Amino acid sequence: MPELPEVEGVVQALKPEVEGRTIKQVQLSEIIRFSYDEGKQCIVKQAEPDAFEMALSQMTITKIERRAKYIFFHLMKEDVSYVLVSHLGMTGAWFIVNTPDEINEEKFKKHIHATFQMADGGYLIYSDIRRFGELRFLTKIEDHAPLTKMAPEPFDETACDYFIAKSMLPKYEKKAVKEVIMDGQVISGCGNIYATEALFAQKIHPARKMNRISEKRKRALFEAIVDVLRQSIDAGGSTISDYRNINGEAGSMQNRLQMYGKKLCPVCGTGTSQMTIGGRTSVYCPNCQH
């Protein structure tokens, strides 16, 4: 699943290509229409497909920004502001192309679900192989309550103190540290990959309870999370399976990962172990991490 660094890479690539341009029209895939009609999981949230297409037509994209793992497309039409919120789910990807046929990988071309034809030519395309992503059209961010409950950006000055305070709440103090740091209301944008890396860097067992970690060690863990997120942004993110940037490019952070997906610990050579925490597979070194 794309985490903060991967989403940041998409946003930085989209901004110069899309900001200031106007959407001529939008076309959703038949599978989206079928999913909506059947009441099944649908990429487009809280909107009937025809209404979604009509609402987005003639919208100008004024600004694109990232918040945690979300992409916010700020829009304007007839002097009224709106926002299209995109979450990439597990396999979502945005492409900027002259024609849909320019998408090189067949698996993405086969699963195009939203085609935005631009008024000045070309297309902004959303593809999603497993269809766990979201497209949510809002008049303002506050219209979708979960978006208002996200933790500060991890790079903000207040983020570490916020994390410390949250970790001491009854809701979190007896939970496994791995589960807590992947909670977007505690730390924004840290998912399975980077939680695994930060815990290994600090030699903390992923199942250790929050109330058994000192404040000093929590602060060091938070700094490790920030550090690995920054490293990944610089490397263009991690391409474990289906993450791609807007031109179909893969990231390279996967080549620097120390623990995620590893069979042997790079420090002591011990075989790694796995356990499920918060519904996700956690890889760790049973010798180094305590």
Side-chain angles (χ1 to χ4, degrees):
M1 177 184 292
E3 300 179 24
L4 185 154
E6 291 75 40
V7 178
E8 178 68 15
V10 172
V11 167
Q12 292 306 316
L14 282 172
K15 287 173 69 69
E17 297 289 340
V18 178
E19 286 185 343
R21 297 175 70 183
T22 298
I23 301 165
K24 180 179 180 180
Q25 63 181 19
V26 181
Q27 183 175 0
L28 299 175
S29 68
E30 289 304 314
I31 192 64
I32 284 183
R33 296 180 181 280
F34 174 80
S35 299
Y36 180 85
D37 291 342
E38 295 294 314
K40 298 180 179 179
Q41 178 177 300
C42 184
I43 292 170
V44 173
K45 305 297 182 183
Q46 296 178 313
E48 188 273 336
D50 285 343
F52 181 89
E53 292 176 339
M54 185 175 298
L56 271 292
S57 66
Q58 303 307 311
M59 287 276 182
T60 297
I61 302 172
T62 59
K63 181 182 178 181
I64 303 174
E65 63 178 341
R66 179 193 56 75
R67 180 70 173 93
K69 301 178 188 178
Y70 292 90
I71 302 172
F72 292 169
F73 292 84
H74 293 278
L75 308 167
M76 182 77 72
K77 185 176 183 179
E78 298 177 352
D79 296 324
V80 179
S81 298
Y82 304 88
V83 61
L84 175 66
V85 179
S86 166
H87 191 287
L88 300 178
M90 296 186 71
T91 58
W94 287 96
F95 297 90
I96 300 289
V97 291
N98 292 314
T99 70
D101 287 338
E102 287 184 357
I103 297 175
N104 293 324
E105 292 187 69
E106 191 61 33
K107 62 182 178 180
F108 287 108
K109 190 184 300 183
K110 182 179 178 181
H111 294 282
I112 292 173
H113 294 298
T115 302
F116 298 75
Q117 184 179 359
M118 309 308 289
D120 58 357
Y123 297 86
L124 171 64
I125 288 177
Y126 179 72
S127 176
D128 196 336
I129 298 165
R130 298 186 66 181
R131 303 201 308 278
F132 290 140
E134 296 183 7
L135 294 175
R136 192 181 299 270
F137 179 67
L138 304 171
T139 55
K140 57 185 185 299
I141 298 299
E142 292 75 17
D143 288 344
H144 186 53
L147 297 176
T148 68
K149 298 177 181 179
M150 292 185 291
E153 288 292 300
F155 314 117
D156 291 353
E157 290 184 2
T158 62
C160 185
D161 288 340
Y162 182 93
F163 161 61
I164 299 297
K166 278 281 192 177
S167 72
M168 297 171 68
L169 295 177
K171 177 180 178 180
Y172 297 110
E173 64 176 354
K174 294 185 179 180
K175 284 189 175 182
V177 58
K178 176 77 177 295
E179 183 176 3
V180 174
I181 63 177
M182 289 195 300
D183 187 323
Q185 294 185 32
V186 180
I187 298 178
S188 285
C190 181
N192 197 21
I193 297 172
Y194 303 114
T196 297
E197 292 297 296
L199 289 167
F200 177 67
Q202 290 300 310
K203 304 297 184 276
I204 299 174
H205 193 287
R208 177 172 282 270
K209 305 301 183 190
M210 289 302 300
N211 61 1
R212 295 185 59 236
I213 303 174
S214 68
E215 180 177 331
K216 180 180 180 180
R217 205 171 185 197
K218 287 177 183 177
R219 290 188 181 277
L221 173 60
F222 185 85
E223 291 305 316
I225 292 170
V226 171
D227 182 60
V228 73
L229 291 175
R230 290 193 187 281
Q231 286 184 49
S232 186
I233 289 172
D234 291 342
S238 298
T239 296
I240 305 299
S241 57
D242 296 311
Y243 165 69
R244 297 291 185 277
N245 210 321
I246 66 168
N247 297 312
E249 299 171 346
S252 63
M253 185 62 185
Q254 67 275 8
N255 300 322
R256 306 184 192 182
L257 299 178
Q258 297 295 297
M259 180 53 56
Y260 182 85
K262 303 301 182 182
K263 299 296 185 184
L264 296 175
C265 174
V267 173
C268 69
T270 300
T272 59
S273 298
Q274 294 186 5
M275 64 189 309
T276 300
I277 299 176
R280 306 300 301 275
T281 299
S282 296
V283 181
Y284 63 97
C285 174
N287 183 52
C288 293
Q289 292 175 256
H290 305 283

